[in-house]
Short mmCIF file of all heavy atoms in Angstrom, two decimals:
data_model
loop_
_atom_site.label_atom_id
_atom_site.label_comp_id
_atom_site.label_asym_id
_atom_site.label_seq_id
_atom_site.Cartn_x
_atom_site.Cartn_y
_atom_site.Cartn_z
N MET P 156 8.56 9.22 -42.12
CA MET P 156 9.77 9.11 -41.34
C MET P 156 9.63 7.91 -40.42
O MET P 156 8.79 7.87 -39.54
CB MET P 156 9.98 10.39 -40.53
CG MET P 156 11.19 10.38 -39.67
SD MET P 156 11.37 11.98 -38.85
CE MET P 156 12.87 11.69 -37.99
N SER P 157 10.45 6.91 -40.63
CA SER P 157 10.34 5.70 -39.82
C SER P 157 11.52 5.53 -38.87
O SER P 157 11.57 4.57 -38.12
CB SER P 157 10.21 4.48 -40.73
OG SER P 157 11.35 4.39 -41.56
N GLU P 158 12.50 6.42 -38.92
CA GLU P 158 13.65 6.32 -38.02
C GLU P 158 13.25 6.79 -36.63
O GLU P 158 12.46 7.70 -36.47
CB GLU P 158 14.80 7.18 -38.54
CG GLU P 158 15.38 6.68 -39.84
CD GLU P 158 16.56 7.52 -40.29
OE1 GLU P 158 17.20 8.17 -39.46
OE2 GLU P 158 16.80 7.52 -41.50
N LYS P 159 13.85 6.16 -35.64
CA LYS P 159 13.60 6.52 -34.25
C LYS P 159 14.32 7.83 -33.94
O LYS P 159 15.38 8.12 -34.47
CB LYS P 159 14.09 5.44 -33.30
CG LYS P 159 13.46 4.09 -33.51
CD LYS P 159 12.17 4.00 -32.78
CE LYS P 159 11.61 2.59 -32.98
NZ LYS P 159 10.51 2.33 -32.12
N LEU P 160 13.71 8.62 -33.06
CA LEU P 160 14.32 9.86 -32.61
C LEU P 160 15.43 9.55 -31.60
O LEU P 160 15.37 8.53 -30.91
CB LEU P 160 13.28 10.75 -31.94
CG LEU P 160 12.14 11.26 -32.82
CD1 LEU P 160 11.11 11.99 -31.97
CD2 LEU P 160 12.68 12.19 -33.89
N SER P 161 16.38 10.45 -31.51
CA SER P 161 17.41 10.30 -30.47
C SER P 161 16.72 10.48 -29.11
O SER P 161 15.65 11.09 -29.03
CB SER P 161 18.49 11.35 -30.64
OG SER P 161 17.99 12.64 -30.30
N PRO P 162 17.31 9.99 -28.04
CA PRO P 162 16.70 10.15 -26.72
C PRO P 162 16.44 11.62 -26.37
O PRO P 162 15.39 11.94 -25.79
CB PRO P 162 17.72 9.52 -25.76
CG PRO P 162 18.41 8.50 -26.61
CD PRO P 162 18.50 9.12 -27.98
N ASP P 163 17.37 12.51 -26.71
CA ASP P 163 17.16 13.93 -26.41
C ASP P 163 16.02 14.53 -27.22
O ASP P 163 15.21 15.29 -26.70
CB ASP P 163 18.44 14.73 -26.66
CG ASP P 163 19.52 14.45 -25.63
OD1 ASP P 163 19.19 13.96 -24.53
OD2 ASP P 163 20.71 14.74 -25.93
N ALA P 164 15.94 14.16 -28.50
CA ALA P 164 14.86 14.67 -29.35
C ALA P 164 13.51 14.13 -28.88
O ALA P 164 12.51 14.86 -28.86
CB ALA P 164 15.10 14.30 -30.81
N LEU P 165 13.48 12.87 -28.49
CA LEU P 165 12.24 12.27 -27.99
C LEU P 165 11.79 12.94 -26.70
O LEU P 165 10.61 13.25 -26.52
CB LEU P 165 12.41 10.77 -27.79
CG LEU P 165 11.17 10.01 -27.34
CD1 LEU P 165 10.02 10.19 -28.32
CD2 LEU P 165 11.51 8.53 -27.18
N GLN P 166 12.74 13.22 -25.81
CA GLN P 166 12.40 13.91 -24.56
C GLN P 166 11.86 15.30 -24.86
O GLN P 166 10.88 15.74 -24.24
CB GLN P 166 13.63 13.98 -23.63
CG GLN P 166 13.33 14.59 -22.29
CD GLN P 166 12.40 13.76 -21.42
OE1 GLN P 166 12.12 12.59 -21.71
NE2 GLN P 166 11.89 14.37 -20.37
N ALA P 167 12.47 16.01 -25.80
CA ALA P 167 11.99 17.34 -26.17
C ALA P 167 10.58 17.27 -26.74
O ALA P 167 9.73 18.12 -26.43
CB ALA P 167 12.95 17.98 -27.18
N LEU P 168 10.30 16.26 -27.56
CA LEU P 168 8.96 16.10 -28.12
C LEU P 168 7.95 15.80 -27.02
O LEU P 168 6.84 16.33 -27.03
CB LEU P 168 8.96 14.98 -29.16
CG LEU P 168 7.66 14.77 -29.92
CD1 LEU P 168 7.31 16.01 -30.74
CD2 LEU P 168 7.75 13.56 -30.81
N LYS P 169 8.32 14.98 -26.06
CA LYS P 169 7.43 14.68 -24.94
C LYS P 169 7.10 15.94 -24.14
O LYS P 169 5.95 16.17 -23.77
CB LYS P 169 8.06 13.65 -24.00
CG LYS P 169 8.13 12.25 -24.54
CD LYS P 169 8.82 11.37 -23.50
CE LYS P 169 9.01 9.97 -23.92
NZ LYS P 169 9.68 9.16 -22.87
N ILE P 170 8.12 16.75 -23.88
CA ILE P 170 7.90 17.99 -23.14
C ILE P 170 6.96 18.91 -23.91
O ILE P 170 6.00 19.44 -23.35
CB ILE P 170 9.24 18.69 -22.83
CG1 ILE P 170 10.03 17.86 -21.81
CG2 ILE P 170 9.00 20.10 -22.30
CD1 ILE P 170 11.48 18.28 -21.65
N ALA P 171 7.23 19.09 -25.20
CA ALA P 171 6.37 19.94 -26.01
C ALA P 171 4.94 19.40 -26.05
O ALA P 171 3.97 20.17 -25.92
CB ALA P 171 6.93 20.05 -27.43
N PHE P 172 4.79 18.09 -26.18
CA PHE P 172 3.47 17.48 -26.23
C PHE P 172 2.71 17.69 -24.93
O PHE P 172 1.49 17.88 -24.94
CB PHE P 172 3.58 15.99 -26.55
CG PHE P 172 2.26 15.30 -26.66
CD1 PHE P 172 1.43 15.52 -27.75
CD2 PHE P 172 1.82 14.43 -25.68
CE1 PHE P 172 0.20 14.91 -27.86
CE2 PHE P 172 0.60 13.80 -25.78
CZ PHE P 172 -0.21 14.03 -26.87
N SER P 173 3.43 17.68 -23.82
CA SER P 173 2.75 17.83 -22.53
C SER P 173 2.12 19.22 -22.37
O SER P 173 1.24 19.41 -21.55
CB SER P 173 3.71 17.54 -21.37
OG SER P 173 4.66 18.57 -21.21
N TYR P 174 2.56 20.19 -23.16
CA TYR P 174 2.00 21.54 -23.11
C TYR P 174 0.97 21.80 -24.21
O TYR P 174 0.34 22.86 -24.22
CB TYR P 174 3.11 22.59 -23.17
CG TYR P 174 3.93 22.61 -21.92
CD1 TYR P 174 5.14 21.92 -21.84
CD2 TYR P 174 3.49 23.29 -20.79
CE1 TYR P 174 5.89 21.92 -20.68
CE2 TYR P 174 4.23 23.29 -19.62
CZ TYR P 174 5.43 22.61 -19.57
OH TYR P 174 6.16 22.62 -18.42
N MET P 175 0.81 20.85 -25.11
CA MET P 175 -0.18 21.00 -26.18
C MET P 175 -1.59 20.80 -25.60
O MET P 175 -1.76 20.05 -24.65
CB MET P 175 0.05 19.98 -27.30
CG MET P 175 1.33 20.19 -28.07
SD MET P 175 1.56 18.93 -29.36
CE MET P 175 0.51 19.64 -30.62
N PRO P 176 -2.58 21.45 -26.19
CA PRO P 176 -3.95 21.19 -25.73
C PRO P 176 -4.38 19.78 -26.10
O PRO P 176 -3.87 19.19 -27.05
CB PRO P 176 -4.78 22.23 -26.49
CG PRO P 176 -3.99 22.52 -27.72
CD PRO P 176 -2.55 22.38 -27.32
N ASN P 177 -5.30 19.24 -25.34
CA ASN P 177 -5.91 17.96 -25.72
C ASN P 177 -6.82 18.23 -26.92
O ASN P 177 -7.42 19.31 -27.02
CB ASN P 177 -6.73 17.39 -24.57
CG ASN P 177 -5.87 16.95 -23.41
OD1 ASN P 177 -4.84 16.32 -23.61
ND2 ASN P 177 -6.27 17.30 -22.21
N ALA P 178 -6.93 17.25 -27.79
CA ALA P 178 -7.75 17.44 -28.99
C ALA P 178 -9.17 17.86 -28.66
O ALA P 178 -9.77 18.67 -29.37
CB ALA P 178 -7.73 16.16 -29.83
N ILE P 179 -9.72 17.35 -27.58
CA ILE P 179 -11.10 17.68 -27.19
C ILE P 179 -11.24 19.16 -26.83
O ILE P 179 -12.33 19.73 -26.89
CB ILE P 179 -11.59 16.76 -26.06
CG1 ILE P 179 -13.10 16.82 -25.95
CG2 ILE P 179 -10.90 17.10 -24.76
CD1 ILE P 179 -13.69 15.75 -25.08
N GLU P 180 -10.13 19.80 -26.45
CA GLU P 180 -10.15 21.21 -26.08
C GLU P 180 -10.04 22.15 -27.28
O GLU P 180 -10.23 23.35 -27.14
CB GLU P 180 -8.98 21.51 -25.13
CG GLU P 180 -9.03 20.73 -23.83
CD GLU P 180 -7.75 20.83 -23.05
OE1 GLU P 180 -6.69 21.13 -23.64
OE2 GLU P 180 -7.79 20.61 -21.83
N VAL P 181 -9.72 21.61 -28.44
CA VAL P 181 -9.53 22.42 -29.63
C VAL P 181 -10.86 22.57 -30.36
O VAL P 181 -11.35 21.62 -30.96
CB VAL P 181 -8.46 21.80 -30.56
CG1 VAL P 181 -8.28 22.64 -31.81
CG2 VAL P 181 -7.14 21.65 -29.82
N THR P 182 -11.42 23.76 -30.26
CA THR P 182 -12.70 24.03 -30.89
C THR P 182 -12.59 25.24 -31.81
O THR P 182 -11.66 26.04 -31.70
CB THR P 182 -13.78 24.32 -29.84
OG1 THR P 182 -13.41 25.53 -29.15
CG2 THR P 182 -13.92 23.18 -28.84
N LYS P 183 -13.54 25.36 -32.69
CA LYS P 183 -13.58 26.52 -33.59
C LYS P 183 -13.79 27.80 -32.78
O LYS P 183 -13.26 28.85 -33.13
CB LYS P 183 -14.69 26.35 -34.63
CG LYS P 183 -14.64 27.39 -35.71
CD LYS P 183 -15.61 27.07 -36.83
CE LYS P 183 -15.46 28.11 -37.93
NZ LYS P 183 -16.32 27.83 -39.06
N TYR P 184 -14.51 27.69 -31.68
CA TYR P 184 -14.75 28.86 -30.82
C TYR P 184 -13.44 29.38 -30.24
O TYR P 184 -13.20 30.58 -30.20
CB TYR P 184 -15.72 28.48 -29.70
CG TYR P 184 -15.96 29.59 -28.72
CD1 TYR P 184 -16.79 30.66 -29.04
CD2 TYR P 184 -15.35 29.57 -27.47
CE1 TYR P 184 -17.00 31.70 -28.13
CE2 TYR P 184 -15.56 30.60 -26.55
CZ TYR P 184 -16.38 31.66 -26.90
OH TYR P 184 -16.58 32.68 -26.01
N GLU P 185 -12.59 28.46 -29.76
CA GLU P 185 -11.32 28.85 -29.13
C GLU P 185 -10.23 29.20 -30.14
O GLU P 185 -9.42 30.08 -29.90
CB GLU P 185 -10.82 27.73 -28.22
CG GLU P 185 -11.63 27.52 -26.98
CD GLU P 185 -11.47 28.65 -25.98
OE1 GLU P 185 -10.39 29.23 -25.88
OE2 GLU P 185 -12.47 28.94 -25.29
N TYR P 186 -10.18 28.50 -31.26
CA TYR P 186 -9.07 28.63 -32.21
C TYR P 186 -9.47 29.22 -33.56
O TYR P 186 -8.62 29.36 -34.43
CB TYR P 186 -8.40 27.27 -32.42
CG TYR P 186 -7.64 26.80 -31.20
CD1 TYR P 186 -8.27 26.13 -30.17
CD2 TYR P 186 -6.28 27.06 -31.08
CE1 TYR P 186 -7.58 25.72 -29.05
CE2 TYR P 186 -5.58 26.65 -29.97
CZ TYR P 186 -6.24 25.99 -28.95
OH TYR P 186 -5.54 25.58 -27.84
N GLY P 187 -10.73 29.54 -33.73
CA GLY P 187 -11.18 30.09 -35.01
C GLY P 187 -11.02 29.09 -36.13
O GLY P 187 -11.04 27.88 -35.92
N ASP P 188 -10.82 29.59 -37.32
CA ASP P 188 -10.70 28.71 -38.48
C ASP P 188 -9.40 27.90 -38.46
O ASP P 188 -9.24 26.98 -39.25
CB ASP P 188 -10.78 29.54 -39.77
CG ASP P 188 -12.17 30.09 -40.01
OD1 ASP P 188 -13.14 29.49 -39.50
OD2 ASP P 188 -12.28 31.13 -40.68
N HIS P 189 -8.49 28.23 -37.57
CA HIS P 189 -7.20 27.55 -37.45
C HIS P 189 -7.31 26.23 -36.68
O HIS P 189 -6.36 25.46 -36.61
CB HIS P 189 -6.22 28.50 -36.74
CG HIS P 189 -4.81 28.05 -36.72
ND1 HIS P 189 -4.04 27.97 -37.86
CD2 HIS P 189 -4.02 27.65 -35.69
CE1 HIS P 189 -2.84 27.54 -37.53
NE2 HIS P 189 -2.80 27.35 -36.22
N TYR P 190 -8.49 25.92 -36.15
CA TYR P 190 -8.63 24.75 -35.28
C TYR P 190 -8.29 23.45 -35.99
O TYR P 190 -7.74 22.53 -35.37
CB TYR P 190 -10.03 24.68 -34.65
CG TYR P 190 -11.11 24.11 -35.52
CD1 TYR P 190 -11.52 22.79 -35.37
CD2 TYR P 190 -11.75 24.87 -36.50
CE1 TYR P 190 -12.52 22.25 -36.16
CE2 TYR P 190 -12.74 24.35 -37.29
CZ TYR P 190 -13.13 23.04 -37.12
OH TYR P 190 -14.12 22.51 -37.90
N LYS P 191 -8.58 23.34 -37.28
CA LYS P 191 -8.27 22.10 -38.01
C LYS P 191 -6.77 21.87 -38.10
O LYS P 191 -6.30 20.75 -37.98
CB LYS P 191 -8.89 22.13 -39.40
CG LYS P 191 -10.39 22.00 -39.39
CD LYS P 191 -10.97 22.02 -40.79
CE LYS P 191 -12.47 21.97 -40.75
NZ LYS P 191 -13.06 22.03 -42.09
N VAL P 192 -6.02 22.95 -38.29
CA VAL P 192 -4.56 22.84 -38.36
C VAL P 192 -4.00 22.41 -37.00
O VAL P 192 -3.11 21.56 -36.93
CB VAL P 192 -3.93 24.18 -38.81
CG1 VAL P 192 -2.42 24.14 -38.72
CG2 VAL P 192 -4.38 24.54 -40.21
N VAL P 193 -4.54 22.97 -35.93
CA VAL P 193 -4.09 22.60 -34.58
C VAL P 193 -4.35 21.11 -34.35
O VAL P 193 -3.48 20.39 -33.83
CB VAL P 193 -4.78 23.47 -33.51
CG1 VAL P 193 -4.41 22.99 -32.11
CG2 VAL P 193 -4.41 24.93 -33.69
N LEU P 194 -5.51 20.63 -34.73
CA LEU P 194 -5.82 19.20 -34.58
C LEU P 194 -4.87 18.33 -35.40
O LEU P 194 -4.43 17.27 -34.94
CB LEU P 194 -7.27 18.93 -34.98
CG LEU P 194 -8.34 19.45 -34.02
CD1 LEU P 194 -9.73 19.27 -34.63
CD2 LEU P 194 -8.24 18.75 -32.67
N GLU P 195 -4.53 18.78 -36.60
CA GLU P 195 -3.58 18.04 -37.44
C GLU P 195 -2.21 17.99 -36.78
O GLU P 195 -1.55 16.94 -36.78
CB GLU P 195 -3.47 18.67 -38.82
CG GLU P 195 -4.69 18.47 -39.68
CD GLU P 195 -4.64 19.26 -40.99
OE1 GLU P 195 -3.58 19.85 -41.31
OE2 GLU P 195 -5.67 19.30 -41.67
N HIS P 196 -1.78 19.09 -36.19
CA HIS P 196 -0.48 19.13 -35.53
C HIS P 196 -0.45 18.18 -34.33
O HIS P 196 0.54 17.47 -34.11
CB HIS P 196 -0.13 20.55 -35.09
CG HIS P 196 0.17 21.46 -36.23
ND1 HIS P 196 0.28 22.82 -36.07
CD2 HIS P 196 0.39 21.22 -37.54
CE1 HIS P 196 0.56 23.37 -37.24
NE2 HIS P 196 0.62 22.41 -38.15
N ILE P 197 -1.51 18.17 -33.57
CA ILE P 197 -1.59 17.26 -32.42
C ILE P 197 -1.49 15.82 -32.89
O ILE P 197 -0.77 15.00 -32.31
CB ILE P 197 -2.89 17.50 -31.62
CG1 ILE P 197 -2.86 18.87 -30.96
CG2 ILE P 197 -3.11 16.39 -30.58
CD1 ILE P 197 -4.19 19.30 -30.37
N GLU P 198 -2.18 15.50 -33.97
CA GLU P 198 -2.16 14.13 -34.49
C GLU P 198 -0.77 13.75 -35.01
O GLU P 198 -0.32 12.61 -34.79
CB GLU P 198 -3.20 13.99 -35.60
CG GLU P 198 -3.56 12.57 -35.92
CD GLU P 198 -4.07 11.79 -34.71
OE1 GLU P 198 -4.80 12.33 -33.87
OE2 GLU P 198 -3.72 10.59 -34.60
N ILE P 199 -0.07 14.67 -35.65
CA ILE P 199 1.29 14.40 -36.14
C ILE P 199 2.22 14.08 -34.98
O ILE P 199 3.02 13.13 -35.03
CB ILE P 199 1.82 15.59 -36.97
CG1 ILE P 199 1.07 15.68 -38.30
CG2 ILE P 199 3.32 15.48 -37.20
CD1 ILE P 199 1.30 16.98 -39.05
N VAL P 200 2.13 14.86 -33.91
CA VAL P 200 2.98 14.62 -32.75
C VAL P 200 2.65 13.28 -32.10
O VAL P 200 3.54 12.50 -31.74
CB VAL P 200 2.87 15.78 -31.74
CG1 VAL P 200 3.61 15.46 -30.45
CG2 VAL P 200 3.39 17.07 -32.35
N LYS P 201 1.36 12.96 -31.98
CA LYS P 201 0.97 11.67 -31.41
C LYS P 201 1.52 10.51 -32.25
O LYS P 201 2.01 9.53 -31.70
CB LYS P 201 -0.56 11.56 -31.34
CG LYS P 201 -1.17 12.30 -30.20
CD LYS P 201 -2.68 12.04 -30.17
CE LYS P 201 -3.32 12.64 -28.96
NZ LYS P 201 -4.76 12.33 -28.91
N GLU P 202 1.45 10.64 -33.57
CA GLU P 202 1.96 9.59 -34.44
C GLU P 202 3.46 9.40 -34.25
O GLU P 202 3.95 8.27 -34.22
CB GLU P 202 1.64 9.91 -35.90
CG GLU P 202 0.18 9.76 -36.24
CD GLU P 202 -0.15 10.20 -37.66
OE1 GLU P 202 0.78 10.31 -38.50
OE2 GLU P 202 -1.33 10.44 -37.93
N MET P 203 4.20 10.50 -34.11
CA MET P 203 5.65 10.39 -33.92
C MET P 203 5.97 9.75 -32.58
O MET P 203 6.89 8.94 -32.48
CB MET P 203 6.29 11.77 -34.02
CG MET P 203 7.80 11.73 -33.97
SD MET P 203 8.60 10.67 -35.21
CE MET P 203 8.09 11.43 -36.73
N LEU P 204 5.20 10.07 -31.56
CA LEU P 204 5.40 9.42 -30.27
C LEU P 204 5.16 7.91 -30.39
O LEU P 204 5.95 7.10 -29.90
CB LEU P 204 4.49 10.03 -29.21
CG LEU P 204 4.85 11.45 -28.76
CD1 LEU P 204 3.72 12.04 -27.92
CD2 LEU P 204 6.16 11.46 -27.98
N LEU P 205 4.07 7.54 -31.05
CA LEU P 205 3.76 6.12 -31.22
C LEU P 205 4.84 5.40 -32.02
O LEU P 205 5.19 4.26 -31.70
CB LEU P 205 2.40 5.96 -31.89
CG LEU P 205 1.20 6.30 -31.00
CD1 LEU P 205 -0.08 6.37 -31.83
CD2 LEU P 205 1.06 5.32 -29.86
N LEU P 206 5.38 6.05 -33.05
CA LEU P 206 6.46 5.45 -33.84
C LEU P 206 7.71 5.20 -32.99
O LEU P 206 8.54 4.37 -33.33
CB LEU P 206 6.82 6.34 -35.03
CG LEU P 206 5.86 6.33 -36.20
CD1 LEU P 206 6.24 7.38 -37.22
CD2 LEU P 206 5.83 4.95 -36.85
N ASN P 207 7.82 5.94 -31.90
CA ASN P 207 8.96 5.80 -31.00
C ASN P 207 8.58 5.03 -29.73
O ASN P 207 9.23 5.18 -28.69
CB ASN P 207 9.52 7.18 -30.66
CG ASN P 207 10.35 7.72 -31.79
OD1 ASN P 207 11.55 7.46 -31.86
ND2 ASN P 207 9.73 8.46 -32.70
N ASP P 208 7.53 4.23 -29.84
CA ASP P 208 7.09 3.35 -28.75
C ASP P 208 6.72 4.09 -27.47
O ASP P 208 6.99 3.61 -26.36
CB ASP P 208 8.16 2.29 -28.46
CG ASP P 208 8.50 1.46 -29.68
OD1 ASP P 208 7.56 1.12 -30.44
OD2 ASP P 208 9.69 1.17 -29.90
N VAL P 209 6.11 5.26 -27.63
CA VAL P 209 5.66 6.06 -26.49
C VAL P 209 4.15 6.21 -26.58
O VAL P 209 3.63 6.62 -27.62
CB VAL P 209 6.33 7.46 -26.48
CG1 VAL P 209 5.75 8.32 -25.37
CG2 VAL P 209 7.83 7.34 -26.35
N ASP P 210 3.45 5.87 -25.52
CA ASP P 210 2.00 6.04 -25.46
C ASP P 210 1.71 7.51 -25.15
O ASP P 210 2.05 7.98 -24.06
CB ASP P 210 1.42 5.15 -24.38
CG ASP P 210 -0.09 5.24 -24.26
OD1 ASP P 210 -0.71 6.10 -24.93
OD2 ASP P 210 -0.66 4.46 -23.48
N PRO P 211 1.10 8.25 -26.08
CA PRO P 211 0.83 9.67 -25.84
C PRO P 211 0.01 9.93 -24.58
O PRO P 211 0.16 10.98 -23.94
CB PRO P 211 0.05 10.11 -27.08
CG PRO P 211 0.40 9.13 -28.13
CD PRO P 211 0.65 7.83 -27.40
N GLU P 212 -0.83 8.99 -24.19
CA GLU P 212 -1.65 9.16 -22.99
C GLU P 212 -0.82 9.14 -21.71
O GLU P 212 -1.26 9.66 -20.69
CB GLU P 212 -2.74 8.07 -22.94
CG GLU P 212 -3.67 8.06 -24.13
CD GLU P 212 -4.47 9.34 -24.27
OE1 GLU P 212 -4.89 9.91 -23.23
OE2 GLU P 212 -4.66 9.80 -25.41
N GLU P 213 0.36 8.55 -21.76
CA GLU P 213 1.22 8.45 -20.58
C GLU P 213 2.19 9.63 -20.45
O GLU P 213 2.79 9.81 -19.39
CB GLU P 213 2.01 7.15 -20.61
CG GLU P 213 1.14 5.91 -20.55
CD GLU P 213 0.38 5.78 -19.25
OE1 GLU P 213 0.92 6.19 -18.21
OE2 GLU P 213 -0.75 5.28 -19.28
N VAL P 214 2.36 10.40 -21.51
CA VAL P 214 3.36 11.47 -21.51
C VAL P 214 3.13 12.51 -20.42
O VAL P 214 4.07 12.85 -19.70
CB VAL P 214 3.46 12.12 -22.91
CG1 VAL P 214 4.31 13.39 -22.87
CG2 VAL P 214 4.04 11.13 -23.90
N PRO P 215 1.91 13.04 -20.25
CA PRO P 215 1.75 14.06 -19.19
C PRO P 215 2.13 13.55 -17.80
O PRO P 215 2.76 14.28 -17.03
CB PRO P 215 0.25 14.39 -19.26
CG PRO P 215 -0.14 14.06 -20.66
CD PRO P 215 0.69 12.86 -21.01
N GLY P 216 1.82 12.33 -17.48
CA GLY P 216 2.18 11.76 -16.19
C GLY P 216 3.67 11.56 -16.03
O GLY P 216 4.22 11.65 -14.94
N GLU P 217 4.35 11.30 -17.14
CA GLU P 217 5.80 11.11 -17.11
C GLU P 217 6.52 12.45 -16.97
O GLU P 217 7.48 12.57 -16.21
CB GLU P 217 6.25 10.41 -18.39
CG GLU P 217 7.74 10.20 -18.48
CD GLU P 217 8.16 9.58 -19.80
OE1 GLU P 217 7.34 8.91 -20.47
OE2 GLU P 217 9.33 9.79 -20.17
N ILE P 218 6.07 13.44 -17.71
CA ILE P 218 6.74 14.74 -17.73
C ILE P 218 6.41 15.57 -16.48
O ILE P 218 7.27 16.21 -15.91
CB ILE P 218 6.38 15.52 -19.01
CG1 ILE P 218 6.84 14.75 -20.26
CG2 ILE P 218 6.97 16.93 -18.98
CD1 ILE P 218 8.33 14.49 -20.34
N ASN P 219 5.15 15.58 -16.08
CA ASN P 219 4.71 16.38 -14.93
C ASN P 219 3.89 15.53 -13.96
O ASN P 219 2.70 15.77 -13.78
CB ASN P 219 3.86 17.57 -15.41
CG ASN P 219 4.66 18.55 -16.21
OD1 ASN P 219 5.70 19.03 -15.78
ND2 ASN P 219 4.16 18.89 -17.40
N PRO P 220 4.50 14.56 -13.32
CA PRO P 220 3.72 13.67 -12.46
C PRO P 220 3.01 14.39 -11.30
O PRO P 220 1.93 13.99 -10.90
CB PRO P 220 4.72 12.66 -11.95
CG PRO P 220 6.06 13.30 -12.14
CD PRO P 220 5.91 14.24 -13.29
N GLU P 221 3.61 15.46 -10.82
CA GLU P 221 2.99 16.19 -9.70
C GLU P 221 1.73 16.94 -10.11
O GLU P 221 0.92 17.31 -9.27
CB GLU P 221 4.00 17.15 -9.05
CG GLU P 221 4.43 18.29 -9.93
CD GLU P 221 5.54 17.96 -10.93
OE1 GLU P 221 6.01 16.81 -10.98
OE2 GLU P 221 5.93 18.85 -11.70
N HIS P 222 1.55 17.17 -11.41
CA HIS P 222 0.37 17.88 -11.91
C HIS P 222 -0.60 16.95 -12.62
O HIS P 222 -1.52 17.40 -13.29
CB HIS P 222 0.79 19.00 -12.85
CG HIS P 222 1.63 20.04 -12.19
ND1 HIS P 222 1.19 20.82 -11.16
CD2 HIS P 222 2.92 20.40 -12.42
CE1 HIS P 222 2.16 21.62 -10.76
NE2 HIS P 222 3.22 21.39 -11.50
N THR P 223 -0.40 15.65 -12.49
CA THR P 223 -1.23 14.68 -13.18
C THR P 223 -1.75 13.67 -12.16
O THR P 223 -1.28 12.55 -12.09
CB THR P 223 -0.40 13.97 -14.28
OG1 THR P 223 0.28 14.96 -15.04
CG2 THR P 223 -1.31 13.18 -15.20
N PRO P 224 -2.74 14.07 -11.36
CA PRO P 224 -3.20 13.18 -10.30
C PRO P 224 -3.88 11.91 -10.79
O PRO P 224 -3.93 10.92 -10.08
CB PRO P 224 -4.19 14.04 -9.52
CG PRO P 224 -4.65 15.06 -10.49
CD PRO P 224 -3.47 15.31 -11.40
N TYR P 225 -4.37 11.91 -12.00
CA TYR P 225 -5.08 10.73 -12.51
C TYR P 225 -4.24 9.95 -13.49
O TYR P 225 -4.75 9.28 -14.37
CB TYR P 225 -6.40 11.14 -13.16
CG TYR P 225 -7.31 11.82 -12.16
CD1 TYR P 225 -7.61 13.17 -12.27
CD2 TYR P 225 -7.85 11.11 -11.10
CE1 TYR P 225 -8.42 13.80 -11.35
CE2 TYR P 225 -8.67 11.73 -10.17
CZ TYR P 225 -8.94 13.08 -10.31
OH TYR P 225 -9.74 13.68 -9.38
N SER P 226 -2.94 10.01 -13.34
CA SER P 226 -2.05 9.23 -14.18
C SER P 226 -2.35 7.75 -13.97
O SER P 226 -2.76 7.32 -12.90
CB SER P 226 -0.60 9.52 -13.80
OG SER P 226 0.27 8.70 -14.53
N SER P 227 -2.09 6.97 -15.00
CA SER P 227 -2.39 5.54 -14.91
C SER P 227 -1.26 4.76 -14.24
O SER P 227 -1.28 3.55 -14.22
CB SER P 227 -2.68 4.98 -16.30
OG SER P 227 -1.56 5.13 -17.14
N TYR P 228 -0.26 5.43 -13.70
CA TYR P 228 0.82 4.74 -13.00
C TYR P 228 0.36 4.27 -11.65
O TYR P 228 -0.31 4.88 -10.93
CB TYR P 228 2.04 5.64 -12.85
CG TYR P 228 2.74 5.92 -14.14
CD1 TYR P 228 2.80 7.20 -14.66
CD2 TYR P 228 3.34 4.89 -14.85
CE1 TYR P 228 3.43 7.44 -15.86
CE2 TYR P 228 3.99 5.14 -16.05
CZ TYR P 228 4.02 6.41 -16.54
OH TYR P 228 4.65 6.65 -17.73
#
């Protein structure tokens, strides 16, 4: 999919991404055998953000700036 998301869809994806675990937090201990699927889902969302010119690392600071003290802004 190479088409850009609408602004509303992109905002919804950013919000959802801000609640996803960081890849480093996804372990077999926490997620069982499902951990590989969770990592794949995280990667798919990151790729879609990048296709829409959004840096995934900046999303948490944009969506919840009051809860992101180490934002790069």
